[in-house]
Amino acid sequence: QVQLKESGPGLVQPSQTLSLTCTVSGFSLTSNSVHWVRQPPGKGLEWVGAIWSGGSTDYNSALKSRLSISRDTSKSQVFLKMNSLQTEDTAIYFCTRTPYWGQGVMVTVSS
Amino acid sequence: DIQMTQTPSSMPASLGERVTISCRASQGISNYLNWYQQKPDGTIKPLIYYTSNLQSGVPSRFSGSGSGTDYSLTISSLEPEDFAMYYCQQYDSSPLTFGSGTKLEIK
């Protein structure tokens, strides 16, 4: 069955870089797009970006300058890197392949 | 970007009650509309995909309908485990966009 699982550090210092991994199973990354979505505490869902089946990427325009999404199809993994983190980036980060979602990983930006 | 207007933002309701949550897109989305349930632990569970298709394992009291710009999720008879947050999501075009959520609360 389709599964996604996020992993990464729970705490990141301000101005540092966040690196998250989404490990998928039950489907091929070369046939499906994977999106990253985040949810700040107590708030709604915000699309972060996507990597399409062909390998091209698409980013939230507000985050584009700080964001990179890539993948390793041999390992069935998708990666998110976001630099210059600020406290406003504190959120649960999810990866999703519509309509399936990972469990999410809480990322706190704090010194 | 396609804007998704979800109503109501909160809904007090009773066990056994029938409830409907609505989502309106700022432009037609060709039925590319999903509904999700989010519990307090953060877990997001797909309920309905492509407007009206019930995700495997989801109780039949959940149903979805709609077309064009207007979509809805109906729960026919509320069970205790249904009190949660609900979100709609369009995937007709990038970026994915979401409704602002409906908190279903016990009356």
Side-chain angles (χ1 to χ4, degrees):
Chain A
Q1 71 275 29
V2 172
Q3 292 186 319
L4 305 97
K5 185 171 184 179
E6 307 87 348
S7 58
L11 181 65
V12 180
Q13 295 200 339
S15 79
Q16 297 302 300
T17 297
L18 171 67
S19 295
L20 297 176
T21 299
C22 174
T23 302
V24 310
S25 60
F27 68 95
S28 169
L29 293 177
T30 57
S31 304
N32 295 271
S33 60
V34 171
H35 298 252
W36 288 95
V37 175
R38 70 180 183 178
Q39 184 177 40
K43 297 190 176 181
L45 298 164
E46 177 186 31
W47 181 78
V48 173
I51 187 161
W52 304 101
S53 58
S56 62
T57 54
D58 208 359
Y59 301 130
N60 182 316
S61 57
L63 304 173
K64 189 172 186 175
S65 63
R66 303 192 287 131
L67 189 60
S68 174
I69 297 175
S70 60
R71 70 185 184 183
D72 184 335
T73 56
S74 67
K75 294 183 178 179
S76 294
Q77 292 181 323
V78 176
F79 309 105
L80 178 149
K81 288 191 189 303
M82 186 184 302
N83 59 33
S84 304
L85 251 62
Q86 302 302 319
T87 54
E88 308 87 79
D89 296 311
T90 293
I92 303 173
Y93 285 76
F94 298 94
C95 58
T96 170
R97 191 226 84 172
T98 299
Y100 303 96
W101 290 61
Q103 64 193 21
V105 58
M106 180 68 206
V107 174
T108 301
V109 182
S110 174
S111 55
Chain B
D1 299 0
I2 297 175
Q3 308 302 315
M4 302 299 294
T5 302
Q6 185 174 341
T7 56
S9 56
S10 67
M11 178 184 287
S14 303
L15 291 172
E17 188 173 340
R18 178 186 179 93
V19 298
T20 296
I21 299 168
S22 298
C23 248
R24 172 166 288 177
S26 58
Q27 63 190 68
I29 55 172
S30 303
N31 294 105
Y32 290 107
L33 189 286
N34 297 332
W35 290 97
Y36 300 98
Q37 178 192 68
Q38 187 176 36
K39 289 292 184 76
D41 68 357
T43 304
I44 295 178
K45 176 183 177 181
L47 300 173
I48 303 286
Y49 65 96
Y50 195 58
T51 295
S52 58
N53 295 275
L54 197 66
Q55 188 70 19
S56 175
V58 174
S60 58
R61 63 181 180 273
F62 291 90
S63 63
S65 64
S67 64
T69 60
D70 293 324
Y71 299 84
S72 62
L73 171 71
T74 297
I75 310 172
S76 60
S77 179
L78 283 170
E79 298 286 337
E81 60 269 28
D82 299 337
F83 293 93
M85 284 292 293
Y86 293 85
Y87 292 95
C88 63
Q89 173 215 15
Q90 70 80 21
Y91 59 108
D92 178 64
S93 64
S94 185
L96 302 183
T97 48
F98 300 88
S100 54
T102 296
K103 186 172 185 179
L104 191 51
E105 302 171 300
I106 298 177
K107 186 185 287 184

